[in-house]
Amino acid sequence: MNIILSQHTRDIVKSTAPVLAEHGTTITTVFYRNLFEAHPELLNVFNHANQAQGRQQAALANAVYAAAVHIDNLENILPAVVQIAHKHVSLGIKPEHYPIVGEFLLKAIKEVLGDAATPEILQAWEEAYGVIADAFIGVEDSMYKEAREQENGWNFFKPFTVARKVQESGNITSFYLKPADGSNVPDYKPGQYISVRVLIPGEKYTMIRQYSLSQAPKADEFRISVKREEANDPNGVVSVYLHNQVNEGDTVEVSAPAGEFMLDVSKTTPVAFISGGVGITPMMSMLETVANVTPDRPVVFLHSARNEALAAFRQDVEKYAAAMSNAKTKTFLSGGPDGVITGEILKSYVDVTGDAYVCGPVPFMEAMIRELIALGMKEEQIHYEFFGPALQLENS
């Protein structure tokens, strides 16, 4: 990132970091409330469930605080910028959204901090925000360009038809999606996701959710595998709609594949896939790809489900493993005699000289990453993805 900020501005921004740590979530809650009052059309883009649970507010507060702490060396937050930029491109965030966000963020800082937010402090934050926003716009512009220019690529949302709908377990259903215009789909990296946009009857705004692509790349279709959440859970609105009302032949809108959690297909060194619950979905794309591309690669596939009825893809996992020369798989039922995946189990299955991919609920991933590090695996060998806004993982 090419950052041109005066030392005076940097000093002011850094000095306000403790205040942001203390009041960050209050500021971002005020920010979202005022933003949506003035610009309700942005509710077509933002995830209402994350709003309802306070996750989006916490994620934004973390991001603003991180920018303040690292203002002298914003390269330190570049990995987070790239991860968030993938999400933004998948949601269809545009350059013109940034000045609106900046205006309401500054107003929220002023509203919450009152007289403590002096004109000098607000001016420094306005400059800093402008620089960080430009960095996002630049990264996202190149991502949009790459998505648009690849074969069969596009930007924003495109209609797809549900070609097949297949129940995989008691709470996971797969949707096979084909472009409504009869074209093929772009290639993608195993582990990436797409956004699905729907307008649910009776709802005023469109809703967007991101789902991992759950099969190895195919020329003419995407597959997502959606966990049905409880209807009264704000996260459940879209998944219940997809399960109950979207059928074969129906149309949904889809964005191009995005995301940084992806299998390095060039490697032949040992790899372990460790998932909990619906975290199995990106692993299916990775496992199938290894079976197709590097079938001699040593592979371990460990999955934790609550019970037998919720254990999805067991036959598929066995089929892919059978096509490989060195694959070990095991499903653990946390409600049954097999119990959970412990450090001892990881020690007996995982080759710590290789790579591990971890996906699932945040507490599950924190436990798995902690155990892998305790076994001697280096952090750069452990790759993980969690659903929802970019919350901090506590694995230290």
Side-chain angles (χ1 to χ4, degrees), residues 198-205 237 241 245-246:
V198 293
L199 181 57
I200 298 174
E203 294 284 346
K204 188 172 180 184
Y205 300 105
V237 180
Y241 172 70
Q245 290 174 264
V246 174

Side-chain angles (χ1 to χ4, degrees), residues 125-379:
W125 266 103
E126 186 174 0
E127 281 182 45
Y129 175 82
V131 162
I132 293 163
D134 283 347
F136 270 104
I137 290 166
V139 169
E140 288 161 19
D141 182 61
S142 62
M143 287 181 181
Y144 277 125
K145 185 172 187 287
E146 189 181 340
R148 184 171 64 243
E149 291 180 356
Q150 68 178 325
E151 194 175 356
N152 301 307
W154 73 97
N155 281 163
F156 308 116
F157 287 88
K158 173 174 166 168
F160 273 64
T161 304
V162 178
R164 282 194 296 147
K165 184 177 175 182
V166 178
Q167 191 168 344
E168 306 288 2
S169 75
N171 66 351
I172 293 178
T173 293
S174 287
F175 295 81
Y176 292 79
L177 306 173
K178 292 178 182 281
D181 63 8
S183 64
N184 278 347
V185 299
D187 195 18
Y188 59 87
K189 307 286 191 302
Q192 290 192 300
Y193 56 79
I194 55 174
S195 286
V196 173
R197 184 167 73 179
V198 293
L199 181 57
I200 298 174
E203 294 284 346
K204 188 172 180 184
Y205 300 105
T206 55
M207 294 191 187
I208 303 173
R209 293 292 184 276
Q210 284 151 343
Y211 299 108
S212 296
L213 292 157
S214 63
Q215 66 181 8
K218 303 235 178 337
D220 62 338
E221 68 179 12
F222 292 145
R223 183 179 79 170
I224 56 170
S225 302
V226 179
K227 177 189 174 191
R228 181 197 176 106
E229 304 287 352
E230 298 300 323
N232 59 358
D233 176 345
N235 273 326
V237 180
V238 176
S239 72
V240 169
Y241 172 70
L242 290 173
H243 276 249
N244 289 1
Q245 290 174 264
V246 174
N247 296 307
E248 292 177 3
D250 289 346
T251 302
V252 294
E253 291 184 297
V254 171
S255 69
E260 276 205 300
F261 179 64
M262 52 181 106
L263 179 70
D264 184 339
V265 293
S266 66
K267 288 189 175 180
T268 54
T269 45
V271 62
F273 301 112
I274 304 161
S275 58
V278 75
I280 195 171
T281 55
M283 304 304 190
M284 295 307 299
S285 173
M286 294 186 185
L287 183 68
E288 185 184 355
T289 300
V290 173
N292 292 343
V293 179
T294 50
D296 294 332
R297 187 175 187 183
V299 171
V300 167
F301 193 97
L302 305 176
H303 179 62
S304 175
R306 278 210 306 280
N307 56 49
E308 192 74 49
L310 300 181
F313 300 114
R314 287 184 83 158
Q315 287 176 310
D316 289 345
V317 170
E318 284 164 20
K319 179 177 82 180
Y320 302 141
M324 297 187 231
S325 59
N326 188 357
K328 297 187 188 120
T329 70
K330 188 163 174 61
T331 299
F332 299 82
L333 304 174
S334 55
D338 285 328
V340 294
I341 303 174
T342 61
E344 280 301 302
I345 287 162
L346 292 174
K347 187 177 178 183
S348 65
Y349 274 93
V350 178
D351 184 332
V352 295
T353 67
D355 286 83
Y357 291 82
V358 183
C359 190
V362 171
F364 169 84
M365 293 200 307
E366 286 175 346
M368 295 300 100
I369 292 165
R370 199 169 50 241
E371 296 290 0
L372 290 168
I373 289 171
L375 290 175
M377 203 168 232
K378 296 188 179 70
E379 285 198 38

Side-chain angles (χ1 to χ4, degrees), residues 21-84:
E22 190 183 341
H23 298 287
T25 309
T26 313
I27 290 168
T28 53
T29 301
V30 168
F31 158 75
Y32 280 116
R33 185 191 70 212
N34 294 347
L35 176 72
F36 295 140
E37 271 176 23
H39 293 275
E41 74 281 1
L42 290 176
L43 285 164
N44 288 309
V45 177
F46 283 84
N47 183 322
H48 310 201
N50 291 334
Q51 293 291 329
Q53 295 166 313
R55 288 165 62 179
Q56 199 88 49
Q57 293 88 326
L60 178 62
N62 284 345
V64 174
Y65 174 69
V69 170
H70 295 287
I71 198 73
D72 276 334
N73 190 7
L74 282 170
E75 283 71 19
N76 288 345
I77 65 167
L78 192 57
V81 168
V82 171
Q83 185 190 9
I84 296 167

